[in-house]
Amino acid sequence: MFSSEELERYARHIVLREVGGPGQQKLKAARVLVIGAGGLGAPLLLYLAAAGVGTIGIVDDDGVALSNLQRQVIHRTEDVDVLKTESAAGAIRRLNPHVEVVAHVTRLTAANARDLVRGYDIVADGSDNFATRYAVSDACFHEGRPLVTAAVGTFDATLTTLRPHEKAADGTPNPTYRCLFPDAPPPGTVPSCQEAGILGALTGIVGSMMALEVVREIVGFGEGLVGRLLMIDTRAMRFETVRYRWDPENPLSGGNKQSESST
């Protein structure tokens, strides 16, 4: 049940036919794990909190730096040197006191990913490196959790949703992250944002779109990005979507799949 304050807070959702009271109840009951409280995580966390997601877990082991504030809008100048999980939790509580925040002050790795993912209904990955992306996507596959994942460059970005533990309408498995990106690029070939720079507002666009995909996955409306990769080019302000399919050679759900103990 909602209190009178919650009914007023979520009124614009509740009058939406595609969300309504039942959808808002699903949001309140949901547990979402967000990987990273940085450029993508900042708007993602704020919009999930504003939407009324009941429990939000945050995985991050870093502290706030002054150079983060150009894009990581959940943090304030006075939060410099504070843990990002602590700063983000404070911002969420100020925005919506009905949301429970769980801080995981750690770096997600292949060793701890499954334990972290297991306690949540859906995962959103805003990390900035391939090792974490592969670790969290593998964990979500094995634990049967949907994953919304995005990556940003200087002026470009990609976004998709993964449900590889389920089947597509034609009976084939939904694709895994490794169907889309079989191998990580060689070290040093993709410059970091410290080296190449990044447009701050781009992370706001993509993080907000991640929040939309998470809400869609929880509530259930429209057509999500399962099997589709959204590509964003802000130099030309162009959005394109390409379809991708399950690769029977992928190591998770394909013919050469790994054992769970080896991942």
Side-chain angles (χ1 to χ4, degrees):
M1 295 293 293
F2 293 118
S3 66
S4 58
E5 195 274 339
E6 287 175 295
L7 288 172
E8 182 176 357
R9 178 183 291 269
Y10 305 128
R12 301 303 185 271
H13 269 177
I14 292 171
V15 298
L16 273 175
R17 182 170 56 186
E18 292 83 357
V19 179
Q24 194 62 48
Q25 287 284 5
K26 290 179 181 178
L27 290 169
K28 185 175 182 178
R31 295 176 58 84
V32 178
L33 182 66
V34 174
I35 314 301
L40 294 175
L44 168 61
L45 287 164
L46 289 172
Y47 273 108
L48 292 180
V53 170
T55 303
I56 300 175
I58 310 172
V59 180
D60 202 304
D61 67 345
D62 203 2
V64 179
L66 190 60
S67 61
N68 297 152
L69 302 184
Q70 163 256 11
R71 62 200 178 281
Q72 300 180 18
V73 294
I74 201 167
H75 310 299
R76 307 168 301 176
T77 301
E78 52 265 44
D79 295 322
V80 169
D81 295 330
V82 173
L83 284 170
K84 287 185 180 179
T85 51
E86 180 181 338
S87 171
I92 289 170
R93 294 184 182 111
R94 289 189 295 271
L95 176 62
N96 190 346
H98 302 286
V99 175
E100 179 184 358
V101 183
V102 181
H104 301 278
V105 186
T106 185
R107 179 174 291 274
L108 186 142
T109 66
N112 66 10
R114 291 185 63 175
D115 287 338
L116 288 167
V117 164
R118 191 176 295 129
Y120 294 86
D121 304 314
I122 184 169
V123 180
D125 180 19
S127 63
D128 61 358
N129 66 88
F130 284 96
T132 301
R133 291 169 192 154
Y134 283 106
V136 70
S137 63
D138 288 356
C140 286
F141 169 79
H142 288 300
E143 296 298 329
R145 299 295 190 269
L147 171 64
V148 176
T149 182
V152 291
T154 52
F155 290 88
D156 59 283
T158 58
L159 170 66
T160 193
T161 298
L162 298 157
R163 301 183 74 101
H165 53 286
E166 299 175 349
K167 292 185 181 298
D170 63 2
T172 60
N174 285 329
T176 71
Y177 186 79
R178 292 179 182 272
C179 297
L180 181 59
F181 301 111
D183 300 297
T189 58
V190 179
S192 67
C193 67
Q194 290 95 329
E195 298 168 321
I198 187 167
L199 188 66
L202 172 61
T203 62
I205 293 169
V206 181
S208 298
M209 296 183 78
M210 292 178 74
L212 176 58
E213 277 298 288
V214 171
V215 170
R216 185 202 311 279
E217 290 297 308
I218 294 169
V219 175
F221 59 85
E223 181 185 3
L225 287 173
V226 175
R228 299 193 299 151
L229 180 69
L230 176 65
M231 299 185 296
I232 303 169
D233 175 5
T234 56
R235 284 193 179 92
M237 197 50 77
R238 184 172 60 222
F239 291 69
E240 296 182 5
T241 306
V242 297
R243 293 192 177 272
Y244 62 98
R245 294 178 58 83
W246 172 68
D247 178 3
E249 298 302 315
N250 86 82
L252 294 176
S253 61
N256 300 318
K257 64 182 179 181
Q258 304 167 352
S259 66
E260 292 191 12
S261 61
S262 67
T263 57

